[in-house]
Amino acid sequence: MSLLTPKDQNKLNLFKDLNKKLQENIRSSSTTGIEPIDLTTTSDEDSTPSSKVRKLRHSSTPSSATSIRASSNATTVSHTLVSVVIPHRPSKHDVNLPAHRENRAKFLERLATIQGPSVTLVNNIDGLSPPVDFEFINDYVLGFGVERLGKEFQSGCDCRKDNGRHIGCEHRSCQCLEETARNSNGRSVGFPYYAVPERWGCLREIYLDTRYAIYECNELCNCPPNCKNKVVQHGRNVPLEIFKTETRGWGLRCPVPLQKGQFVDTYRGEVISDAEATRREQRNAVGKDSYLYSLDKFQGNLGDEDYIPDEELYVVDGEFMGGPTRFMNHSCDPNCRQFTASLVRGDSKVYELPFFALDDIPAGTELTFNYTDNEEDEPVNEKDVLKLAKAKGKIPTRCLCGEANCKKFLWL
């Protein structure tokens, strides 16, 4: 027994006639890549989308809802009574294209080469992957003309292995602390890290709140591998996640909570000469992101015996090779900071750039740092910046952090 009223039956018959004529027109036009359209469906029970099928509903009213199925490589254009399926021309951003699938597979393969806890990729925005011309590395790659300090010029401390409760050196006698910052009384500020179990390896506030350089013991030291003054050199010990943000491209977060002062990871890249860095800057287009960091922490002052001229400084370039921290975004109110860590006594030209958490950071929170990291948080006048940029013929880089204290611009 039919459940349709005579009026509804007439409508259904009309739909069938229109559908029949439409299929005849399609067959006669030699159009390819089009699946038949069924306009007679009156139930949603069999309309669940599969990997090759999607469901489009043209009415939210259950009594008149019509389910139309088409291939995933087709686009549906609807009218009042009839829907016509036309072939889909995939765009360059179509994540189902073989090229995008191949790029994602390549990127995931490279993620697997990173030493330490897992580094994963998440994209809930558009399904694309980061650029595949980027190579992950686990240590600096030295460019042409760049050299580390030779082993014959390196040295370590003479501390006993049973010093400091068998967890490393004592600050009163450790030679690795000879170059550390001094307090108002002229005494060393001591080791950079806590040694208590609940905060083991976390950076002490005296360092966290300043920009004091960190001097760690090294492989030439007499202290044991578990010395409390060896943290950065042991590498990252927390998992990380590269993810697509809604407004700022790719970002980085940690899927587990971080303690205040906890070591996150280091900034990696190719170490190049100042001349090569200048050449790459001139080659890059105006407004392009920069991943260059000058290793000038120990440059000294002009006239000093150990002063390093600008042209002799090294620069770290993380654009095409680096680590996960290359994907960290800027914030005017960051939760991490980049520090300087010397792992080789006497080498003032090649050192580490580690990141530490400035506060307790909940799991899944984006990790950010201040790209400029100015000592003073000076206010920025937008009109003055734009005027200066125009005079220099440059395009200022706008800040997109969205924080309440956002300075609007990063640099010219």
Side-chain angles (χ1 to χ4, degrees):
M1 180 179 178
S2 175
L3 299 179
L4 298 176
T5 65
K7 185 176 181 180
D8 290 337
Q9 186 64 52
N10 290 335
K11 288 183 179 180
L12 181 57
N13 292 336
L14 177 61
F15 288 167
K16 287 182 177 180
D17 292 338
L18 289 172
N19 186 42
K20 183 178 179 180
K21 292 180 180 179
L22 177 62
Q23 301 308 318
E24 291 175 352
N25 290 336
I26 292 175
R27 284 192 293 270
S28 62
S29 63
S30 301
T31 303
T32 60
I34 303 177
E35 294 185 3
I37 306 173
D38 183 6
L39 294 177
T40 62
T41 305
T42 57
S43 173
D44 292 335
E45 295 299 322
D46 62 347
S47 59
T48 304
S50 66
S51 59
K52 293 185 179 181
V53 177
R54 65 181 181 183
K55 181 176 67 175
L56 303 177
R57 294 186 177 181
H58 296 272
S59 175
S60 59
T61 306
S63 61
S64 60
T66 301
S67 177
I68 303 177
R69 294 184 178 184
S71 173
S72 60
N73 65 351
T75 300
T76 300
V77 180
S78 64
H79 196 263
T80 306
L81 295 178
V82 180
S83 293
V84 179
V85 181
I86 61 176
H88 168 61
R89 295 180 180 177
S91 71
K92 63 179 181 179
H93 300 299
D94 192 336
V95 297
N96 291 318
L97 289 177
H100 287 308
R101 293 197 299 268
E102 182 180 349
N103 288 346
R104 183 177 180 85
K106 286 182 179 179
F107 192 85
L108 293 177
E109 284 182 7
R110 294 175 183 178
L111 278 183
T113 66
I114 303 176
Q115 296 175 357
S118 65
V119 179
T120 54
L121 176 67
V122 175
N123 186 349
N124 296 321
I125 304 298
D126 55 21
L128 301 179
S129 63
V132 293
D133 58 355
F134 179 78
E135 177 184 356
F136 285 104
I137 55 178
N138 294 296
D139 198 358
Y140 285 144
V141 173
L142 304 186
F144 178 78
V146 175
E147 297 180 348
R148 291 181 183 268
L149 186 69
K151 289 284 187 181
E152 64 273 21
F153 301 108
Q154 300 179 24
S155 61
C157 66
D158 300 325
C159 298
R160 300 197 317 270
K161 287 183 169 55
D162 59 352
N163 273 356
R165 294 170 292 165
H166 298 276
I167 55 175
C169 308
E170 292 288 352
H171 74 272
R172 293 183 179 86
S173 58
C174 182
Q175 293 97 323
C176 292
L177 297 185
E178 289 178 353
E179 302 297 327
T180 58
R182 304 286 161 172
N183 58 26
S184 58
N185 296 324
R187 299 177 58 182
S188 168
V189 295
F191 289 111
Y193 309 113
Y194 284 104
V196 292
E198 61 271 17
R199 295 201 66 187
W200 177 273
C202 290
L203 201 63
R204 294 171 52 220
E205 274 73 10
I206 188 66
Y207 285 85
L208 201 61
D209 297 335
T210 64
R211 288 159 181 77
Y212 290 156
I214 298 169
Y215 294 88
E216 288 195 359
C217 293
N218 57 69
E219 59 182 9
L220 298 179
C221 292
N222 194 49
C223 54
N226 67 330
C227 173
K228 59 178 174 286
N229 196 33
K230 295 179 178 179
V231 173
V232 173
Q233 62 195 268
H234 290 317
R236 176 177 54 86
N237 58 14
V238 295
L240 293 174
E241 188 174 87
I242 300 170
F243 74 105
K244 190 66 174 289
T245 69
E246 292 185 359
T247 59
R248 301 195 295 163
W250 296 97
L252 190 71
R253 60 192 177 197
C254 182
V256 299
L258 293 171
Q259 278 187 292
K260 181 179 181 179
Q262 187 170 353
F263 171 57
V264 179
D265 201 357
T266 55
Y267 188 83
R268 293 294 183 206
E270 182 184 6
V271 184
I272 57 179
S273 65
D274 179 75
E276 174 61 17
T278 301
R279 188 186 70 82
R280 294 185 184 185
E281 285 180 315
Q282 294 173 345
R283 180 188 62 192
N284 288 342
V286 177
K288 183 179 179 181
D289 292 338
S290 174
Y291 299 92
L292 299 173
Y293 286 87
S294 180
L295 298 177
D296 56 1
K297 181 70 172 181
F298 306 114
Q299 181 178 16
N301 299 314
L302 184 63
D304 292 347
E305 182 180 353
D306 55 355
Y307 173 72
I308 305 174
D310 290 346
E311 61 272 15
E312 295 182 14
L313 291 172
Y314 294 152
V315 179
V316 180
D317 186 0
E319 181 174 4
F320 297 111
M321 57 179 68
T325 56
R326 186 260 198 192
F327 296 92
M328 289 179 69
N329 280 316
H330 163 84
S331 175
C332 294
D333 187 19
N335 53 21
C336 295
R337 174 176 288 167
Q338 187 182 73
F339 289 82
T340 296
S342 175
L343 308 186
V344 179
R345 286 183 64 195
D347 194 346
S348 55
K349 298 186 70 174
V350 180
Y351 51 84
E352 303 296 315
L353 299 172
F355 291 92
F356 290 86
L358 290 175
D359 297 290
D360 291 339
I361 303 177
T365 304
E366 182 177 4
L367 305 178
T368 59
F369 73 106
N370 191 325
Y371 285 3
T372 58
D373 200 24
N374 295 323
E375 294 283 351
E376 298 180 1
D377 189 18
E378 299 179 355
V380 176
N381 185 291
E382 184 170 358
K383 291 184 179 179
D384 292 342
V385 171
L386 296 177
K387 183 178 180 179
L388 180 61
K390 184 177 181 180
K392 292 185 176 182
K394 295 184 177 181
I395 300 176
T397 301
R398 287 188 176 273
C399 179
L400 302 175
C401 73
E403 299 291 347
N405 65 333
C406 179
K407 297 171 66 176
K408 300 181 181 179
F409 297 94
L410 291 177
W411 49 64
L412 290 180

